[in-house]
Amino acid sequence: MEAAHPPVSAEPLVIRGEVLAGPPVSEPAPVAAEAETAFVDVPRLLLCPECRSGNPETRQYCHPCGALLRPAPQPSETSEPTRLEQLRAKCFERPEVWHWDRRWLTIMAALPLFFTAGIAAGATVVAAGEALPWVKDRFAGQSSVAPDTVEASSAAKGFDAKLAADGVDNRAWAPEERGQDPVGQTWTATFQQPFRLTTLALISGSSPKPKEFLRNGRPAKVTVTVTTAGGGKVTKTLPLFDQPGPQRFPLGIDGAVAVEIRIDAVRTGLQPKSPIVLAEVQFFTRRTA
């Protein structure tokens, strides 16, 4: 009987990886996991500064009263001063004890700038005052002024001094040579009523026609001296182009009572010993309405 039934093994019977039978196997007791701290996401509330109601953190305005939950921060009374405030306090605020401080140094340093600005402004005003009459002369109408008397240092035969102020350019004044060139000879016009001499027009030569113009000599340069009513004198040196027709020179001299024209240089004519001819002298002033 014992040979027919072999003893049963104490090892468990394993079929396809599963335990079917066997003595109980002791297993280690499960180790309890460390308790984990549970964090509950509690919403944070913002208290309204007006009604003290709670509001979610994401809101900008109070739900019950509508007040701003995060008001703009007010500037602190102890905030640092700006650069402008620092400069004002440094240079212009009066110290507790009055003494020679930096404010007066700043003022003294700025005085040359004030003087320079004042001089520049004064020069600008003077220049504007002087330029205004010239602007009026330029844009206002012009009218001619006839001299009351005319005289010359000398006159060649047929070329009297008054012919240079008769209003036509086919008659002229020519100085007498007296055995030498006419440089230094003068022609003078006087006026009883002072006027503003805006423009002087000179016509050299004996004719506006080119051939007759070149036949006689003519001035190349003259010096004009204007005497004013107060006894002052204004002198201008005027070069003349070698061409027929009037040549205008703006002068702008107030109170003119006499005008002297002196010949400084001449151009000789095609004819030998031809006279130095000044055909016409014209004076203009600003036209008044």
Side-chain angles (χ1 to χ4, degrees):
M1 291 296 289
E2 293 177 355
H5 298 279
V8 179
S9 174
E11 295 294 330
L13 180 62
V14 178
I15 300 177
R16 295 182 182 180
E18 297 181 0
V19 177
L20 299 181
V25 179
S26 61
E27 294 182 356
V31 179
E34 296 181 358
E36 297 181 357
T37 304
F39 293 95
V40 180
D41 189 10
V42 178
R44 299 176 60 184
L45 299 179
L46 293 178
L47 292 180
C48 175
E50 299 293 336
C51 66
R52 310 303 295 174
S53 300
N55 291 269
E57 187 181 9
T58 57
R59 292 190 61 84
Q60 297 291 332
Y61 298 93
C62 178
H63 179 69
C65 68
L68 184 63
L69 296 177
R70 297 180 180 87
Q74 298 297 326
S76 176
E77 296 181 355
T78 60
S79 60
E80 294 185 359
T82 62
R83 291 186 177 180
L84 181 60
E85 293 174 348
Q86 294 177 2
L87 181 62
R88 186 184 297 111
K90 184 177 181 181
C91 299
F92 294 100
E93 288 186 0
R94 181 172 178 173
E96 296 180 358
V97 180
W98 185 258
H99 62 278
W100 186 266
D101 58 355
R102 295 180 180 178
R103 173 174 57 181
W104 293 107
L105 295 178
T106 304
I107 295 175
M108 294 298 294
L111 283 179
L113 298 178
F114 292 142
F115 282 121
T116 303
I119 293 173
T124 303
V125 172
V126 171
E130 293 179 353
L132 183 59
W134 286 89
V135 174
K136 292 182 179 179
D137 294 344
R138 174 66 178 81
F139 293 99
Q142 302 287 312
S143 58
S144 61
V145 179
D148 295 301
T149 59
V150 174
E151 60 183 7
S153 58
S154 66
K157 185 177 180 179
F159 295 93
D160 193 70
K162 64 180 180 181
L163 298 179
D166 59 356
V168 294
D169 56 4
N170 56 357
R171 296 186 298 179
W173 164 72
E176 187 180 359
E177 290 190 15
R178 298 179 182 177
Q180 59 184 359
D181 60 41
V183 173
Q185 300 289 326
T186 60
W187 182 93
T188 305
T190 58
F191 306 85
Q192 293 182 357
Q193 186 68 30
F195 70 102
R196 176 174 175 82
L197 178 58
T198 58
T199 305
L200 176 68
L202 300 178
I203 302 177
S204 62
S206 58
S207 174
K209 298 179 180 179
K211 290 184 179 181
E212 297 182 8
F213 173 81
L214 297 174
R215 186 180 302 169
N216 293 322
R218 54 264 175 211
K221 184 174 66 173
V222 299
T223 296
V224 177
T225 302
V226 180
T227 303
T228 62
K233 293 184 180 295
V234 181
T235 302
K236 302 284 186 180
T237 299
L238 307 177
L240 299 177
F241 296 105
D242 193 20
Q243 62 186 24
Q247 301 181 43
R248 296 177 175 270
F249 301 93
L251 297 180
I253 301 174
D254 288 322
V257 293
V259 179
E260 179 189 87
I261 300 174
R262 185 188 68 204
I263 298 176
D264 292 338
V266 298
R267 295 184 179 92
T268 58
L270 298 178
Q271 292 181 347
K273 297 183 180 180
S274 60
I276 304 301
V277 178
L278 183 61
E280 193 69 21
V281 181
Q282 297 175 346
F283 308 93
F284 294 90
T285 187
R286 188 189 307 160
R287 183 180 301 170
T288 57

